[in-house]
Amino acid sequence: MRRTLKKIIKYFITKIFVPIIRFLHAEFSAFFQSQRPKLTRTYWRQKWTHWQESHQRSDYKFLLRGFYKLALVGLLAFVVFYLSVYMGFWGEIPSRRELKSIQNNTASEVYSADGVLLGRYYIQDRTNVKYANISPAAIKALVATEDARFYDHSGVDARSMGRVLVKSLLMQNESSGGGSTLSQQLAKNLFPRKDHWFWDMPANKLREIIIAQKLEAVYTKDEILELYLNTVPMGGNLYGIERSAQRFFSTSAESLKTEEAAVLIGMLKATTTYNPRLNLERSVQRRNVVLSQMAKYNYLTTAQADSLKKLPLKLKYNYTTHNDGLAPYFREHLRQELVQWAASQEKKNGQPYNLYTDGLKIYTTIDAGMQRHAEAAVRKRMALLQKQFDAHWRGRSPWGRNSDVIQVAMHRSDRYKKMQEAGLSEAEINETFRKPVPMQVYGWNGTDKKTMSPLDSVAYYQRFLNTGLFAVEPHSGFVRAWVGGINHTVFKYDHVKAKRQVGSTFKPIVYAAALEKGMKPCDYFPNERVSYPEYDDWSPRNADEQYGGEYTMRGALAHSVNTVSAQLIMKTGVDRTVDMAHRLGINSDLPAVPSLALGTADLSLQEMVTAYATFANRGYRVNPVYITKITDRNGKVLREHHDGANSKRVLSEETAAIMLQLMQGVVEEGSAVKLRSQFGLKMDIAGKTGTTQDHADGWFIGITPKLVTGVWVGGESPEVRFRTLALGQGAHTALPIWGEFNRKVAIDPVYKGYYYARFDPLPPHLQDILNCPSYRAEPPQENFLERVLDRVTEKVGQSYEDWKAKWKQRRKERKRNKNRNRF
């Protein structure tokens, strides 16, 4: 078809158009050469008089023939031009099938488990909305203002085109209005204009007319209005009526009032000029024009329009960035994963999905209520802790004379990386970093405008303590809350995924490995400082430097006794302990050294919470789940999580139950007792605090019957820390955040039953093997007979081992003698 049309156009040009042009050129040249008239007013009067006297003369016939030929040439030229536009020489003309399957760039949306919109991923900030969900006032305002005869034409309004031709082009009246119908405007929105130099306006206008008529043939009037209001640009990267309603009035397109709809429709003429936030007075004037148009075309009475014009313009501006809203750290983690996932999934046309343009719906396990409580707990407790930290270091730097802390932070900054990419030398970068510049500086009381050097700002932000909070349902693995830091705008690093030394929170893993090997929870272990020659005289000591007496597993774990943890890993075996950690869900490499028992490994909060969740899930490990379903814009399911798919038993149910009982001792008699006294929590709680060397990291991971939550607190650099154990330990830094979060959840009526939740009761035989005091000052004295029996058993055993060794030695000597005799 296209080849045939090309041949027709070629024929018209070569066989008809060119010969006619040549003929006209020759005729007019001969005429003007013979006559050479002076084209003055007198000349034209004479010609007019002459024509009146004799309009049948041959020159008149000649001019008439020329006019007809010229008109024919113009008509043929227009046909050729039309065909060239129709065939796509001046820009692609979509087919009806392509128009029917139009899918404009639409943001992908992330939803919580309870249906709350958490955030959106987009290039164009747009949310499509159905015609039925658009306020009738917006529809009426649009038609009255932009295309009053919209329901009467088929894509082109001849009257408007004529008005523009006469008033705008011939009479130069700029107030005559535009001639484009809504269908033509939609065509322009969907298929942007191209630059064709001199032919720019006619080519683009004709192209839009052709597309508009096709749109009218494919869609109903309501569907065209829906498509138009979803595609119309509203300034910047904002598109469509739904997002505009949310941005300017914090409402939906369906709930727009008449005066609000008039403001938004008024912006279509010039999105910046009539932006109500930037130009309130002009926006009001334009709104009133729209209301007058609605009255003119009987969508409003004059009285209604006058009444609405008197109303003040009340904005509820709601501009959000990717750093705002609930769970920004989680959404950023999700974005990185989904970009790769989408690129691996193909659409029907064979193209991969695009997270930013294909309007995917991502349904997550995040509980919006719990997420709010988690973020509120972080804000409250971290603000208090930062105030205490600043007072603790007033007049001094936490890193002292160690300037490497600032240098490392500077090299990690975006400013430094951009300067490096721009090719600046190290000296030039350092000079720039020392020059004071105006900037916005974040603080717990808000942002302030200050003038300071970038290097000073790096040092300023290094003084902040940061945190991570991660909460998971132990039985399903569903992630319910994810807080990666104190402020996503300033601190991008996600501390849910960051790896830091875990301290004593690793000890429950050591205890679980010991139980699996056969040790009993009521075995007593001496609290003695011991050196281990096979490990370079490694001699672990307790944080409080207190020794003496004996502890059961419950007592040693509750009071975080390092000497007992060292004994357990030595008896259990380092390799067995490492294997247990991996089985529980820790994927990072672990150092195969006994100091692992004291938490020298660098692990993430996510890994540690996963391991603890196994204890609460009767020994079944469930990997964290945060996506339940992903659908395309039409609701087709692209990915879905199935319950139980990632559950695996890695620990005996008995060991898991014992571990819960041991860790409850931390709350009842150990380092986490203030969860009861200070926060008034009544549910069953098991957990473990953790503090690393020099108090650089504070941890608390707590288990309740319905939730496992981990909290980490520390500086961006380990050099940023409290100087004392009392202030820097996990019980002082991380535990209050955990307590605040769980208190908020417990008293929230939405989570009924959480406040008094209980673990499953222990079976009688487990109660018996756990029935022992946590601590005894001195080992019990044995009677005379027991001492004699122990001594005899020891002597007999030693004699047997000596005899066995001598027998083996003699046997080896006999074999050697026999071999010698053979040779």
Side-chain angles (χ1 to χ4, degrees):
M1 180 64 183
R2 182 164 291 192
R3 289 181 179 178
T4 304
L5 287 174
K6 285 183 177 179
K7 288 180 180 179
I8 292 172
I9 292 172
K10 184 177 180 180
Y11 177 81
F12 268 109
I13 292 173
T14 57
K15 301 297 184 181
I16 299 176
F17 184 72
V18 172
I20 289 175
I21 292 296
R22 287 174 178 171
F23 169 78
L24 290 175
H25 180 265
E27 289 287 335
F28 277 100
S29 296
F31 172 75
F32 282 107
Q33 285 177 5
S34 62
Q35 301 295 328
R36 291 186 182 275
K38 294 181 179 180
L39 302 180
T40 62
R41 183 178 297 179
T42 304
Y43 169 80
W44 289 114
R45 282 179 180 174
Q46 290 175 352
K47 292 295 291 181
W48 174 247
T49 304
H50 185 67
W51 179 82
Q52 284 181 319
E53 291 176 353
S54 178
H55 61 274
Q56 297 296 327
R57 293 182 57 175
S58 60
D59 57 343
Y60 165 69
K61 291 180 180 180
F62 169 75
L63 288 174
L64 191 62
R65 285 197 304 270
F67 173 78
Y68 287 152
K69 290 178 182 178
L70 189 61
L72 179 60
V73 170
L75 178 62
L76 291 175
F78 175 77
V79 170
V80 172
F81 183 61
Y82 179 88
L83 289 174
S84 68
V85 173
Y86 189 86
M87 293 184 60
F89 289 106
W90 305 90
E92 181 184 1
I93 301 293
S95 66
R96 291 193 177 189
R97 178 180 296 178
E98 290 172 329
L99 289 175
K100 193 65 179 176
S101 60
I102 283 175
Q103 292 185 340
N104 51 33
N105 288 354
T106 305
S108 294
E109 297 179 334
V110 181
Y111 291 90
S112 68
D114 43 346
V116 175
L117 178 63
L118 296 177
R120 308 164 72 252
Y121 306 115
Y122 57 83
I123 296 172
Q124 296 179 345
D125 188 1
R126 182 203 327 268
T127 297
N128 287 332
V129 61
K130 295 293 185 183
Y131 178 86
N133 296 326
I134 301 174
S135 168
I139 301 293
K140 294 172 183 177
L142 176 66
V143 173
T145 308
E146 296 293 327
D147 191 355
R149 287 177 292 278
F150 173 71
Y151 294 103
D152 300 326
H153 61 67
S154 298
V156 180
D157 187 350
R159 286 174 58 184
S160 295
M161 294 287 286
R163 183 189 70 242
V164 171
L165 180 64
V166 175
K167 290 188 176 183
S168 296
L169 298 181
L170 299 181
M171 299 176 62
Q172 297 297 304
N173 183 358
E174 296 182 359
S175 64
S176 63
S180 294
T181 64
L182 286 174
S183 302
Q184 289 172 256
Q185 293 179 45
L186 175 59
K188 186 172 81 170
N189 292 339
L190 293 173
F191 305 96
R193 291 180 173 181
K194 300 181 183 298
D195 186 11
H196 301 298
W197 296 85
F198 176 77
W199 297 95
D200 185 66
M201 181 59 71
N204 283 315
K205 275 290 185 183
L206 187 55
R207 178 169 172 260
E208 289 163 12
I209 288 172
I210 295 170
I211 296 174
Q213 290 177 327
K214 285 192 172 188
L215 284 168
E216 291 275 352
V218 169
Y219 292 103
T220 66
K221 290 291 186 179
D222 288 352
E223 289 172 335
I224 288 174
L225 289 171
E226 175 189 315
L227 196 54
Y228 179 91
L229 285 171
N230 281 325
T231 58
V232 64
M234 300 297 288
N237 68 342
L238 182 66
Y239 291 81
I241 191 73
E242 177 70 12
R243 288 299 299 158
S244 300
Q246 293 173 4
R247 172 78 63 86
F248 292 102
F249 298 106
S250 297
T251 188
S252 64
E254 186 175 18
S255 303
L256 279 171
K257 299 176 183 177
T258 302
E259 64 273 20
E260 294 171 341
V263 171
L264 298 181
I265 298 303
M267 287 178 63
L268 299 180
K269 185 175 182 179
T271 55
T272 302
T273 303
Y274 299 113
N275 185 310
R277 188 178 69 88
L278 302 177
N279 299 297
L280 183 61
E281 186 176 345
R282 289 181 179 178
S283 181
V284 170
Q285 292 173 356
R286 182 62 184 165
R287 177 200 69 177
N288 294 344
V289 170
V290 174
L291 293 172
S292 295
Q293 288 293 104
M294 294 179 73
K296 178 180 177 181
Y297 292 103
N298 299 318
Y299 293 118
L300 292 175
T301 65
T302 303
Q304 287 175 324
D306 291 341
S307 176
L308 292 172
K309 289 177 185 178
K310 295 176 183 178
L311 295 176
L313 202 165
K314 295 181 179 179
L315 281 182
K316 294 181 181 177
Y317 195 71
N318 180 30
Y319 178 67
T320 57
T321 69
H322 296 299
N323 297 314
D324 302 319
L326 282 175
Y329 289 93
F330 168 71
R331 286 187 277 115
E332 175 58 19
H333 166 78
L334 198 62
R335 183 191 68 81
Q336 295 174 13
E337 179 179 319
L338 289 176
V339 165
Q340 296 182 357
W341 175 85
S344 68
Q345 306 296 312
E346 286 190 357
K347 295 183 281 189
K348 286 184 179 179
N349 61 7
Q351 296 295 318
Y353 281 95
N354 187 311
L355 178 65
Y356 304 105
T357 62
D358 282 329
L360 303 178
K361 306 289 186 185
I362 302 103
Y363 300 93
T364 72
T365 62
I366 294 292
D367 185 291
M370 288 189 178
Q371 182 69 29
R372 288 192 190 94
H373 292 321
E375 293 180 7
V378 165
R379 282 193 300 271
K380 178 179 178 179
R381 291 293 166 175
M382 286 303 294
L384 294 172
L385 190 65
Q386 187 66 48
K387 186 177 180 180
Q388 192 175 27
F389 186 77
D390 291 341
H392 182 73
W393 285 103
R394 183 170 287 116
R396 288 179 287 178
S397 297
W399 50 88
R401 297 180 180 179
N402 186 1
S403 60
D404 290 344
V405 173
I406 305 304
Q407 287 298 311
V408 170
M410 184 184 82
H411 291 165
R412 289 171 57 184
S413 68
D414 291 337
R415 187 189 296 261
Y416 181 89
K417 292 175 182 176
K418 288 177 181 178
M419 289 182 181
Q420 262 195 332
E421 291 171 1
L424 273 68
S425 66
E426 190 70 21
E428 290 173 321
I429 294 175
N430 288 332
E431 184 181 353
T432 303
F433 262 82
R434 290 189 177 92
K435 287 182 179 178
V437 293
M439 63 177 67
Q440 293 278 352
V441 177
Y442 163 79
W444 278 108
N445 295 322
T447 56
D448 294 323
K449 289 183 178 179
K450 292 185 178 180
T451 299
M452 60 195 310
S453 70
L455 191 63
D456 287 340
S457 74
V458 170
Y460 170 79
Y461 285 121
Q462 280 297 302
R463 296 180 68 96
F464 277 82
L465 294 176
N466 222 311
T467 189
L469 183 151
F470 187 62
V472 171
E473 275 186 2
H475 308 298
S476 63
F478 285 1
V479 178
R480 294 308 190 188
W482 181 314
V483 183
I486 57 175
N487 185 289
H488 190 257
T489 303
V490 181
F491 303 99
K492 301 292 187 185
Y493 199 48
D494 189 343
H495 292 286
V496 168
K497 301 185 295 181
K499 294 183 179 182
R500 295 291 287 257
Q501 271 198 356
V502 293
S504 295
T505 54
F506 193 84
K507 289 177 180 176
I509 298 171
V510 178
Y511 282 59
L515 289 170
E516 288 282 278
K517 192 180 181 183
M519 297 184 203
K520 304 301 180 185
C522 279
D523 288 347
Y524 282 91
F525 301 89
N527 179 21
E528 297 174 349
R529 187 173 179 184
V530 179
S531 293
Y532 298 92
E534 63 272 38
Y535 291 101
D536 298 326
D537 290 326
W538 176 60
S539 180
R541 60 186 183 183
N542 295 329
D544 59 4
E545 293 289 355
Q546 299 297 312
Y547 303 96
E550 294 181 328
Y551 285 96
T552 61
M553 287 189 176
R554 178 183 171 99
L557 192 60
H559 298 282
S560 203
V561 183
N562 289 341
T563 57
V564 174
S565 296
Q567 294 174 54
L568 288 174
I569 198 171
M570 296 302 292
K571 292 181 179 181
T572 304
V574 174
D575 292 340
R576 188 186 290 266
T577 304
V578 169
D579 179 65
M580 172 61 70
H582 289 321
R583 282 160 51 194
L584 292 175
I586 291 173
N587 299 317
S588 300
D589 293 334
L590 295 170
V593 293
S595 61
L596 179 65
L598 308 185
T600 55
D602 290 340
L603 303 174
S604 70
L605 187 58
Q606 185 173 348
E607 289 177 297
M608 292 302 296
V609 170
T610 300
Y612 274 55
T614 306
F615 299 138
N617 196 28
R618 299 179 179 179
Y620 285 95
R621 186 193 69 211
V622 181
N623 295 325
V625 176
Y626 40 81
I627 299 175
T628 55
K629 186 170 64 174
I630 301 176
T631 66
D632 65 13
R633 69 175 76 203
N634 298 316
K636 178 185 175 183
V637 177
L638 305 177
R639 170 177 164 182
E640 191 168 16
H641 170 74
H642 299 285
D643 292 340
N646 66 341
S647 179
K648 180 181 179 181
R649 178 171 288 285
V650 295
L651 196 66
S652 70
E653 184 173 355
E654 185 174 284
T655 299
I658 293 173
M659 285 306 305
L660 279 183
Q661 287 296 313
L662 297 182
M663 286 191 286
Q664 285 186 73
V666 177
V667 179
E668 304 303 331
E669 59 182 273
S671 55
V673 291
K674 64 180 177 182
L675 287 175
R676 302 292 191 203
S677 58
Q678 183 175 339
F679 296 96
L681 300 178
K682 302 297 183 184
M683 75 286 290
D684 282 350
I685 305 172
K688 186 70 186 78
T689 56
T691 309
T692 61
Q693 191 173 8
D694 296 327
H695 333 117
D697 306 273
W699 294 75
F700 182 70
I701 304 175
I703 303 170
T704 66
K706 297 186 178 182
L707 206 63
V708 180
T709 306
V711 178
W712 167 89
V713 172
E716 293 292 324
S717 167
E719 296 293 323
V720 179
R721 59 188 186 274
F722 283 102
R723 296 193 301 274
T724 65
L725 177 63
L727 294 176
Q729 63 181 316
H732 180 75
T733 59
L735 184 138
I737 297 174
W738 193 99
E740 188 72 31
F741 166 60
N742 279 269
R743 186 188 67 81
K744 288 179 178 292
V745 172
I747 62 177
D748 190 331
V750 173
Y751 309 105
K752 187 178 180 181
Y754 190 88
Y755 196 80
Y756 292 103
R758 296 286 178 260
F759 293 126
D760 292 336
L762 284 174
H765 73 281
L766 289 185
Q767 293 181 26
D768 291 340
I769 64 173
L770 286 164
N771 186 19
C772 54
S774 297
Y775 173 79
R776 63 187 185 192
E778 296 293 338
Q781 298 295 322
E782 296 177 315
N783 59 38
F784 175 76
L785 181 59
E786 286 176 339
R787 288 201 301 273
V788 170
L789 288 174
D790 288 343
R791 184 68 60 84
V792 169
T793 303
E794 185 180 347
K795 288 290 185 182
V796 170
Q798 187 64 43
S799 299
Y800 173 74
E801 292 296 330
D802 292 343
W803 173 82
K804 190 175 180 181
K806 290 179 180 179
W807 180 78
K808 286 182 178 179
Q809 185 65 30
R810 288 175 183 172
R811 190 175 179 183
K812 287 181 181 179
E813 289 177 356
R814 287 174 184 170
K815 284 184 179 180
R816 278 197 213 105
N817 292 333
K818 285 182 180 180
N819 291 334
R820 287 174 183 171
N821 293 333
R822 286 179 184 176
F823 295 101

